[in-house]
């Protein structure tokens, strides 16, 4: 009997457990040839390939897709509700909502009248490019529009999964502590724009906006910042200008 | 826990490659993880073993190799090993440092039995 696989070419019973999905065990007994094959495949190759397809589709239709990432509760949905209400006469906007459970955020967006699809990831802690591809199929998207993708509230793995967006927008609220950029450098490194939200609360807190920007700049010198409050509306004009400018940038 | 999604993806791609090659058994999978890839090697190892066990690869060895990054100082041109996004040049203490490498996340090779 062979030690490594338990096969037996003598008398008696052979019990062979086949590894699911693998070819049959051939019994030409010069037996057990091992070889090493070089793969060099990117672990995220499938996600990245599908993300590239999403990106190309969106680019052709001149749709600016933004991947909104943050810790839970920083105000992503509130910012979207306000943005849609303020810009709906000017720009077509659609939303993909990612949460582990519930349709609550999609219902909030739906109440503004915008196109929205909810993706529930179950145990999953991030959106991937396939979920987004399926959501895009279900949405009625307009050419020359905006597509907001609200990722699952999590500052860790959404940094790794390309969805096909034009840019990642990281949101940090002033109740979170100014050192978030250094604690979660991957996300701040991957982002193009950082929204510092809930500035209406600054008088009650000891959040140092300058220190926060400096810490973020250390991990990503190219990161842009906009301070705003989705509740009071302070600073939202600069966010809207950023959106207009990047949407128009797709025309050239 | 993105290590779990990564483990699932590694096992799936490993299996596809092994089937393509007509393997009967996968002995070893060599994985390369950069120190700036945002992946905890220990956690990935744990997930690979858990996923492998559920997926008929209980005896497969998942070998993770961590690879470093290099910092290049833009002020004094020093080159040095780096293991985080927040590095200061060891020669001149500047933080104007560009980083190369360290983002790897690859399946390098498979050792299979024909
Ligand atoms: N004071 C103040 N509160 C805000 C602001 N923006 C959001 N909030 C509040 O913060 C809480 C969380 O806001 P959401 O918009 O649900 O946050 P989210 O990031 O979408 O949360 P998840 O989807 O659960 O990760 C709510 O109670 C909001 O009313 C703001 O600018 N100022
Ligand atoms: Mg939300
Ligand atoms: Zn055998
Ligand atoms: Zn995740
Ligand atoms: Zn230097």
């Amino acid at each position: 009997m062979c030690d490594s696989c338990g096969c037996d070419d003598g008398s008696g019973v052979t019990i062979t457990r086949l590894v699911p999905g693998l070819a049959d065990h051939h019994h030409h007994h010069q037996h057990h040839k091992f070889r090493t094959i070089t793969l060099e495949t990117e672990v995220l190759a499938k996600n990245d390939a599908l993300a590239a397809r999403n990106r190309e589709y969106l680019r052709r239709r001149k749709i600016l897709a933004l991947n909104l990432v943050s810790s839970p509760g920083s105000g992503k949905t509130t910012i979207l509700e306000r943005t849609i209400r303020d810009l709906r006469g000017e720009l077509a906007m659609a939303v993909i909502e990612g949460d582990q459970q519930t349709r609550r955020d999609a219902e909030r967006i739906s109440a503004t009248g915008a196109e929205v699809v909810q993706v529930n990831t179950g145990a999953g802690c991030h959106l991937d490019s396939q979920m987004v591809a399926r959501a895009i199929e279900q949405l009625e998207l307009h050419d020359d529009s905006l597509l907001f993708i609200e990722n699952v509230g999590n500052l860790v793995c959404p940094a790794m999964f390309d969805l096909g967006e034009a840019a990642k927008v990281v949101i940090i609220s002033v109740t979170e502590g100014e050192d978030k950029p250094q604690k979660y450098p991957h996300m701040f490194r991957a982002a193009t724009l950082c929204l510092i939200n809930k500035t209406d609360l600054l008088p009650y807190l000891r959040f140092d906006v300058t220190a926060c920007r400096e810490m973020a700049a250390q991990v990503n010198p190219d990161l842009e910042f906009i301070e705003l409050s989705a509740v009071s509306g302070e600073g939202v004009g600069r966010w809207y200008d950023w959106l207009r400018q990047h949407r128009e940038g797709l025309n050239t | 826990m993105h290590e779990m999604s990564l483990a699932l993806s590694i096992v799936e791609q490993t299996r596809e490659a092994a089937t393509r090659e007509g393997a009967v058994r996968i002995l070893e999978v060599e994985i390369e993880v950069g120190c700036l890839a945002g992946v905890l090697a220990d956690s990935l190892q744990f997930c690979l073993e858990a996923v492998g066990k559920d997926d008929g690869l209980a005896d497969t060895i998942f070998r993770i190799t961590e690879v470093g990054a290099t910092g290049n100082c833009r002020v004094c041109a020093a080159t040095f090993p780096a293991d985080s996004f927040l590095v200061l040049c060891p020669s001149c203490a500047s933080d104007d440092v560009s980083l190369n490498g360290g983002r790897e996340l690859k399946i390098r090779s498979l050792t299979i039995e024909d």
Side-chain angles (χ1 to χ4, degrees):
Chain A
M1 167 135 88
C2 117
D3 278 344
S4 15
C5 72
C7 74
D8 188 340
D9 50 6
S11 58
V13 183
T14 304
I15 300 174
T16 311
R17 177 161 179 268
L18 289 189
V19 178
L22 292 188
D24 207 348
H25 187 120
H26 302 293
H27 274 142
H28 37 76
H29 260 173
Q30 80 271 26
H31 221 113
H32 298 297
K33 282 203 335 216
F34 303 137
R35 65 193 163 102
T36 298
I37 50 177
T38 306
L39 285 184
E40 296 290 337
T41 15
E42 295 294 334
V43 172
L44 292 173
K46 281 191 179 168
N47 184 75
D48 292 349
L50 196 46
R53 274 176 51 187
N54 292 345
R55 182 169 288 113
E56 176 56 20
Y57 172 81
L58 294 162
R59 192 193 59 78
R60 260 189 284 125
R61 298 195 57 189
K62 298 192 168 60
I63 297 168
L64 178 70
L66 299 174
N67 183 358
L68 274 65
V69 292
S70 77
S71 14
S74 67
K76 298 180 292 299
T77 311
T78 311
I79 291 171
L80 290 180
E81 290 173 297
R82 179 155 200 138
T83 305
I84 293 164
R85 293 207 161 96
D86 287 350
L87 295 184
R88 63 185 156 196
E90 180 186 340
L91 280 166
M93 287 168 280
V95 179
I96 297 171
E97 277 293 342
D99 287 293
Q100 289 197 326
Q101 310 273 332
T102 87
R103 292 197 207 162
R104 296 174 65 91
D105 282 0
E107 282 160 7
R108 284 167 63 186
I109 298 296
S110 187
T112 68
E115 272 281 310
V116 59
V117 163
Q118 177 80 52
V119 177
N120 285 127
T121 58
C125 43
H126 56 265
L127 293 176
D128 64 34
S129 57
Q130 184 172 12
M131 297 172 192
V132 169
R134 285 171 54 198
I136 286 175
E137 276 170 24
Q138 290 190 33
L139 282 169
E140 280 193 28
L141 294 176
H142 294 267
D143 290 349
D144 310 304
S145 63
L146 298 182
L147 173 61
F148 297 109
I149 305 167
E150 181 181 332
N151 218 313
V152 179
N154 171 356
L155 273 177
V156 186
C157 33
M160 301 190 65
F161 291 84
D162 185 6
L163 306 179
E165 72 272 5
K168 287 187 180 69
V169 178
V170 63
I171 295 121
I172 175 172
S173 57
V174 298
T175 49
E176 288 173 54
E178 51 276 89
D179 53 1
K180 276 282 178 312
Q182 305 223 329
K183 289 179 175 164
Y184 300 95
H186 293 277
M187 190 59 92
F188 286 83
R189 185 122 178 144
T192 305
L193 173 66
C194 175
L195 298 179
I196 302 179
N197 188 35
K198 309 196 189 180
T199 54
D200 58 295
L201 298 178
L202 279 173
Y204 312 101
L205 301 164
R206 275 188 294 177
F207 184 91
D208 184 341
V209 176
T210 312
C212 179
R213 282 176 171 235
E214 277 168 11
M215 287 198 249
Q218 276 174 26
V219 294
N220 182 357
D222 301 325
L223 190 61
E224 299 170 64
F225 298 89
I226 296 174
E227 291 156 38
L228 56 79
S229 164
V231 167
S232 76
E234 174 191 20
V236 294
R238 264 171 289 152
W239 158 237
Y240 301 156
D241 286 342
W242 190 96
L243 291 174
R244 292 184 186 104
Q245 185 199 331
H246 285 76
R247 223 303 304 147
E248 280 157 21
L250 299 178
N251 291 341
T252 53
Chain B
M1 262 295 263
H2 54 295
E3 281 82 3
M4 188 48 97
S5 336
L6 300 176
L8 288 164
S9 164
I10 290 170
V11 167
E12 186 191 344
Q13 293 185 66
T14 297
R15 214 173 248 315
E16 283 171 9
T19 306
R20 209 162 51 227
E21 295 284 329
V24 295
R25 212 151 65 91
I26 304 170
L27 286 96
E28 187 175 309
V29 184
E30 215 192 341
I31 297 144
E32 188 174 291
V33 175
C35 65
L36 303 179
V39 176
L40 279 177
D42 286 350
S43 163
L44 181 61
Q45 185 82 49
F46 176 86
C47 293
L48 281 167
E49 281 162 18
V51 172
K53 204 163 283 169
D54 280 351
D55 207 16
L57 300 183
D59 299 326
T60 302
I61 297 165
F62 294 97
R63 196 180 302 286
I64 300 178
T65 310
E66 292 182 77
V67 286
T70 311
N72 291 299
C73 178
R74 291 203 189 102
V75 175
C76 76
T79 297
F80 48 91
D83 63 357
S84 106
F85 288 123
L86 297 166
V87 283
L88 296 181
C89 171
S91 323
C92 75
S94 162
D95 64 0
D96 193 3
V97 168
S98 70
L99 293 168
N100 295 301
R103 310 293 201 104
E104 299 78 1
L105 185 53
K106 278 196 265 186
I107 308 173
R108 252 190 209 163
S109 69
L110 296 185
T111 302
I112 54 173
E113 181 185 344
D114 285 303

